[in-house]
Amino acid sequence: EPEVTQTPSHQVTQMGQEVILRCVPISNHLYFYWYRQILGQKVEFLVSFYNNEISEKSEIFDDQFSVERPDGSNFTLKIRSTKLEDSAMYFCASKGGQGATFWETQYFGPGTRLLVL
Amino acid sequence: DAKTTQPNSMESNEEEPVHLPCNHSTISGTDYIHWYRQLPSQGPEYVIHGLTSNVNNRMASLAIAEDRKSSTLILHRATLRDAAVYYCILGSGSARQLTFGSGTQLTVLP
């Protein structure tokens, strides 16, 4: 069964450093998402991406964050200058072909655990 | 997005059925009811979804009240692997993001 993959599985970084989290969505999917989950808290939406542009973003997704689809397979989340409070599990998800609707399944990756020291 | 209310936690014995409730009294006519679950240290995974009629798949059944203000996820025979946080999520329209609440932490006892 096709799956979403994410690298690295764990990343430790110093406060103020830039990190790039990578995701390979399911190959024929067109809608891409990043979520995060701070330890012990809810899964929170960060950003959605379709047709090479951001569709929606949450208040969390400020100027420190950016997303990119640099080639036909990868989808990346960059945090420019990490803060302690960015420590969380980051999940990538993808769904659907053209015209996908809400009810279509989002497929989540296993996550990247980011620790900012 | 319409709000959902779920119990914080539930327990079940292994190999017994589990009924996980969700209240969504402000559901709109076009809202689908989705259930996802999150196993420990994993990303969320899809379980089932429905609009008005009850639904069955290989993982679970979804029973939707006639007025659609509540639904119940049914695991017919809980296994230890079913221990997870179960999320009831509403939404409609375009391919928007999922809005996760706190969910129900299901503990399965051997």
Side-chain angles (χ1 to χ4, degrees):
Chain A
E1 187 172 308
E3 58 182 17
V4 176
T5 59
Q6 291 185 243
T7 54
S9 57
H10 294 78
Q11 175 133 15
V12 181
T13 189
Q14 295 292 322
M15 191 169 58
Q17 295 295 302
E18 175 183 287
V19 295
I20 297 176
L21 309 183
R22 291 182 167 79
C23 169
V24 178
I26 293 173
S27 63
N28 62 342
H29 284 179
L30 300 178
Y31 297 83
F32 313 113
Y33 308 83
W34 283 101
Y35 296 80
R36 79 170 186 191
Q37 187 174 32
I38 295 170
L39 189 64
Q41 297 188 23
K42 299 177 188 178
V43 177
E44 300 174 290
F45 167 72
L46 292 178
V47 66
S48 59
F49 191 87
Y50 169 72
N51 201 25
N52 283 320
E53 60 183 25
I54 290 173
S55 311
E56 283 192 67
K57 58 183 181 179
S58 71
E59 290 177 357
I60 303 167
F61 194 88
D62 61 22
D63 292 343
Q64 293 299 314
F65 290 89
S66 62
V67 289
E68 198 177 34
R69 189 151 160 83
D71 53 43
S73 58
N74 289 286
F75 179 50
T76 62
L77 174 70
K78 183 193 292 186
I79 309 175
R80 255 180 280 281
S81 177
T82 50
K83 307 185 189 84
L84 296 176
E85 54 265 37
D86 294 328
S87 295
M89 182 74 94
Y90 288 81
F91 296 108
C92 172
S94 71
K95 76 186 278 184
Q98 195 71 36
T101 56
F102 180 85
W103 55 263
E104 293 190 42
T105 301
Q106 282 191 28
Y107 293 86
F108 284 77
T112 293
R113 184 169 295 285
L114 176 65
L115 178 61
V116 182
L117 301 177
Chain B
D1 291 329
K3 185 176 164 53
T4 62
T5 305
Q6 299 179 251
N8 289 332
S9 63
M10 291 184 66
E11 273 187 3
S12 172
N13 293 319
E14 197 177 8
E15 298 191 6
E16 289 187 358
V18 184
H19 291 234
L20 296 164
C22 180
N23 287 320
H24 30 79
S25 58
T26 59
I27 190 170
S28 77
T30 56
D31 278 336
Y32 279 82
I33 303 160
H34 269 243
W35 285 81
Y36 280 74
R37 72 179 184 180
Q38 188 175 21
L39 302 171
S41 302
Q42 294 190 30
E45 66 173 350
Y46 168 80
V47 177
I48 200 166
H49 76 274
L51 183 61
T52 56
S53 304
N54 295 344
V55 184
N56 299 296
N57 67 18
R58 64 176 179 81
M59 287 181 72
S61 295
L62 177 60
I64 301 171
E66 200 167 323
D67 63 5
R68 300 207 330 122
K69 293 186 176 181
S70 65
S71 61
T72 303
L73 178 70
I74 303 164
L75 307 179
H76 296 286
R77 288 182 70 221
T79 68
L80 297 178
R81 198 196 170 274
D82 291 322
V85 180
Y86 286 78
Y87 301 99
C88 169
I89 301 171
L90 306 183
S92 63
S94 63
R96 295 186 62 210
Q97 69 276 11
L98 297 169
T99 301
F100 289 83
S102 301
T104 296
Q105 173 70 63
L106 176 66
T107 301
V108 180
L109 303 173

